[in-house]
Amino acid sequence: MFFLLLLLKYSILCLYLFEKELILMKTSTKIAACALGVAAAANAVHAAAFRPKKQELAPLPDEKVDVDRYRKHLSRAIQIKTISNRESDLVDWAEFQKLQDFIDETYPNVKAKLEKTVVPPSNLVFRWKGTRSDLDPIALLGHQDVVPVTRGTEDDWVHPPFEGFDDGEFIWGRGALDMKNHLLGVLEATEALLEDGFEPERDVYLLFGDNEEVVANDKNGARDIMNYLKKKGVHLDCVLDEGGAMLPVDVPHVINGKYLAGIGIGEKGYADIEVAVCAKGGHSSQPPKHSAIGELADVIKDIENHQFKSKFSYNMKQLLDSVSRNVTYPVRLVTCNIKALQPALLQIFKLIPPAACMVRTTTGVTMTQGSPAANVLPQRASVTINFRAMPGVTTDDLVAHIRKVVRNKDIEINVLNSKEASKMSPTDSRSYKIISDLCSRMEPNAIVVPYLVMGGTDACNYEPICENIYRYGPFKADASLMLCTHGTNERIPIACMKEALVFFKSFIREASAE
Ligand SMILES: [Zn+2]
């Protein structure tokens, strides 16, 4: 009986406690639900307010431009085969002379009023003297050379690569996007400004190198031009070269009708490094457990398994923030917390090669070499690795990295080719603001962001005489079209050519003013 009473009491106590627990649980669930509700409401308000900063900008001036003339000239310029080559002797310099003659004939005002200097072999310097020689000049860059058409792919072109065919929608040919479009756009704008009777305050330099596409060579046209200017004591206020463009961004339900205008403020470094392993070699009928190639396989694995650290740079964070503010409201409910999401986002970036290259120095294993015959053991096996270094990572750092991560300490390391990463140009300079504002004025739906250029340009050669170096071509074209650059069916949409001329004219007007 006592036991029964005790059990009953215990059961009541349990029930009581259980009920208490339930009440407690209900209360805490209610509190949690309330807290979540408040947080969700706060997040909803935050997402609604998480919009791009509004800026009042005047629309672009009504510049007089002649697109038909630009089209005709671009077609003709594409027909001139200014193909560069690592071996200077293999370059057809007569074609470069043809391009120079074409410029002289086509732009009579440029010829008459700008001072022209040829820096050998075929680099062009045009100086438009301003009214205020006490101010630092500005420079607009362009390269005259183009890459060749890969042998065997000529027939894949819809229109032959050196015909400059204009079908009313596109102008087709090698250089249509990289970068006779840009080079001629600069010349057309200059000619038009001269026709308008415009006089710049600062000197305006047009600097056209002759071998940007093979710049890893000892010969470097842009560097020769820079040295020529440096000797004359010129210090440039700003440089505008190729690089970014105005790309439409449309992802259903995520981002609608926007454009991404990336202004390149720096570029990655480049290095081809050979790593070799030596062995005894000999007849392949009596092989050791691992030949030099077997040893090399471990070296390659060590290098690939130790990728460089990934990190969002300050500019990358700015880019993420700008894009996050421009997505649709439902997506902004997430992206408004972009700062908190960055560590997770970085992990995702690391997994996707086109994104990973934006956040780290990349390691591309590209070539291997072993013995010269199938029945000979190699005495030396080597691998070539192509690194694209983030600013701040030098070629010496790359070599030190290899030494550190490869367990085999008997390796031989040779730097075959290298170009250091550029400095990063400021985003608070007068010239950056002019470019950025012009992008926004040209396209009110543009998200204008500074970014790191993955490839190389001539621009970084001007670092000794300029701090404000920007890479932007004012051409509005689909990213898929941009991928034709250096490839088959390179072509420029005619629809983007008018805005480009307005941009170049406006840039020269504004940047050359005090
Ligand atoms: Zn180019």
Side-chain angles (χ1 to χ4, degrees):
M1 185 67 184
F2 176 74
F3 179 70
L4 204 71
L5 268 175
L6 201 68
L7 193 69
L8 197 65
K9 197 178 164 190
Y10 179 74
S11 303
I12 289 168
L13 185 73
C14 275
L15 274 174
Y16 173 75
L17 283 177
F18 182 64
E19 196 182 19
K20 270 270 184 213
E21 183 81 341
L22 266 180
I23 293 166
L24 210 69
M25 270 172 69
K26 273 185 198 158
T27 318
S28 51
T29 311
K30 269 185 201 159
I31 292 170
C34 270
L36 272 175
V38 171
N43 193 55
V45 173
H46 179 38
F50 192 66
R51 301 291 295 137
K53 286 150 202 149
K54 276 233 161 4
Q55 41 176 350
E56 292 302 319
L57 291 170
L60 275 187
D62 200 13
E63 288 283 2
K64 212 176 84 201
V65 293
D66 188 341
V67 182
D68 288 341
R69 193 166 76 172
Y70 181 21
R71 280 167 69 172
K72 258 182 238 148
H73 293 162
L74 181 57
S75 285
R76 281 182 55 202
I78 290 171
Q79 291 164 23
I80 305 172
K81 297 180 182 174
T82 47
I83 302 168
S84 49
N85 194 299
R86 269 174 203 279
E87 302 299 323
S88 188
D89 297 348
L90 299 178
V91 175
D92 186 353
W93 292 109
E95 291 293 312
F96 284 80
Q97 185 57 50
K98 243 193 236 173
L99 184 67
Q100 280 187 40
D101 296 343
F102 161 80
I103 292 172
D104 285 347
E105 278 161 34
T106 313
Y107 303 105
N109 283 294
V110 170
K111 185 173 192 286
K113 302 201 176 115
L114 271 61
E115 186 187 301
K116 178 175 126 182
T117 308
V118 179
V119 176
S122 205
N123 300 289
L124 290 175
V125 175
F126 290 98
R127 179 188 178 207
W128 186 358
K129 209 170 159 356
T131 54
R132 294 274 310 270
S133 50
D134 57 313
L135 299 172
D136 277 350
I138 65 163
L140 290 94
L141 268 53
H143 59 80
Q144 304 165 58
D145 61 320
V146 294
V147 293
V149 171
T150 308
R151 201 170 293 160
T153 65
E154 295 87 348
D155 293 341
D156 299 337
W157 285 70
V158 173
H159 298 287
F162 292 101
E163 201 173 90
F165 189 76
D166 181 339
D167 67 2
E169 191 186 355
F170 297 103
I171 297 176
W172 300 71
R174 178 61 80 231
L177 285 172
D178 185 11
M179 65 175 290
K180 285 186 172 159
N181 57 329
H182 189 125
L183 184 118
L184 259 72
V186 167
L187 283 163
E188 292 287 332
T190 308
E191 182 76 9
L193 284 166
L194 287 162
E195 285 167 354
D196 292 349
F198 173 73
E199 282 190 351
E201 282 185 277
R202 295 169 189 269
D203 281 8
V204 178
Y205 279 99
L206 315 184
L207 308 172
F208 303 148
D210 63 14
N211 70 345
E212 191 272 343
E213 299 292 4
V214 290
V215 99
N217 202 336
D218 295 345
K219 292 208 184 309
N220 181 331
R223 193 175 52 216
D224 292 346
I225 296 177
M226 185 280 296
N227 280 326
Y228 162 80
L229 294 174
K230 196 176 167 197
K231 246 183 233 156
K232 284 180 49 165
V234 174
H235 180 269
L236 296 170
D237 171 75
C238 63
V239 158
L240 178 66
D241 195 7
E242 63 176 337
M246 181 82 79
L247 305 174
V249 201
D250 253 309
V251 182
H253 311 298
V254 177
I255 188 162
N256 304 317
K258 297 285 178 188
Y259 291 84
L260 195 64
I263 301 172
I265 57 167
E267 58 194 75
K268 279 181 121 177
Y270 180 107
D272 294 324
I273 300 182
E274 183 201 54
V275 182
V277 174
C278 292
K280 247 175 125 188
H283 201 282
S284 61
S285 60
Q286 295 159 28
K289 189 177 174 199
H290 292 296
S291 75
I293 292 178
E295 301 288 342
L296 188 71
D298 281 339
V299 170
I300 296 171
K301 273 197 169 171
D302 283 347
I303 294 171
E304 286 192 328
N305 286 340
H306 293 85
Q307 295 287 332
F308 279 80
K309 234 181 150 182
S310 301
K311 189 178 130 192
F312 283 133
S313 64
Y314 173 70
N315 295 301
M316 195 64 206
K317 287 179 187 167
Q318 269 183 296
L319 191 150
L320 290 175
D321 182 78
S322 301
V323 175
S324 303
R325 287 173 188 274
N326 279 281
V327 292
T328 54
Y329 179 70
V331 185
R332 278 207 317 281
L333 288 168
V334 178
T335 62
C336 69
N337 302 301
I338 190 73
K339 271 192 192 149
L341 294 173
Q342 272 174 18
L345 202 58
L346 189 60
Q347 297 309 315
I348 298 170
F349 264 61
K350 280 162 70 174
L351 299 175
I352 309 167
C357 67
M358 292 193 258
V359 294
R360 72 172 171 219
T361 294
T362 54
T363 305
V365 176
T366 55
M367 292 157 76
T368 50
Q369 242 186 344
S371 92
N375 59 353
V376 175
L377 290 167
Q379 288 178 299
R380 186 177 188 273
S382 68
V383 58
T384 302
I385 305 150
N386 177 249
F387 290 99
R388 303 293 175 113
M390 292 297 274
V393 177
T394 64
T395 307
D396 288 346
D397 294 335
L398 297 173
V399 173
H401 172 81
I402 297 170
R403 284 245 176 263
K404 192 177 144 202
V405 303
V406 174
R407 285 164 296 170
N408 183 344
K409 299 301 171 196
D410 292 329
I411 51 170
E412 197 185 295
I413 302 178
N414 300 305
V415 178
L416 306 176
N417 217 338
S418 75
K419 183 175 147 231
E420 300 298 341
S422 75
K423 289 182 189 154
M424 297 298 267
S425 293
T427 53
D428 58 357
S429 67
R430 184 188 74 96
S431 38
Y432 182 86
K433 185 162 168 39
I434 291 172
I435 300 168
S436 155
D437 286 357
L438 279 175
C439 291
S440 305
R441 288 159 73 190
M442 220 166 115
E443 177 48 69
N445 282 319
I447 308 167
V448 187
V449 287
Y451 88 111
L452 181 68
V453 176
M454 297 295 127
T457 71
D458 272 341
C460 55
N461 290 290
Y462 291 85
E463 282 180 356
I465 58 167
C466 186
E467 290 77 40
N468 306 313
I469 296 176
Y470 303 108
R471 300 151 181 91
Y472 179 73
F475 297 92
K476 202 186 263 180
D478 263 12
S480 57
L481 209 58
M482 287 296 182
L483 292 177
C484 297
T485 302
H486 287 204
T488 300
N489 290 325
E490 183 176 343
R491 63 197 186 278
I492 183 171
I494 288 159
C496 75
M497 293 172 77
K498 182 179 175 200
E499 275 183 349
L501 288 184
V502 175
F503 179 97
F504 283 127
K505 276 187 89 174
S506 310
F507 176 76
I508 296 173
R509 270 189 210 280
E510 295 183 17
S512 69
E514 187 190 355

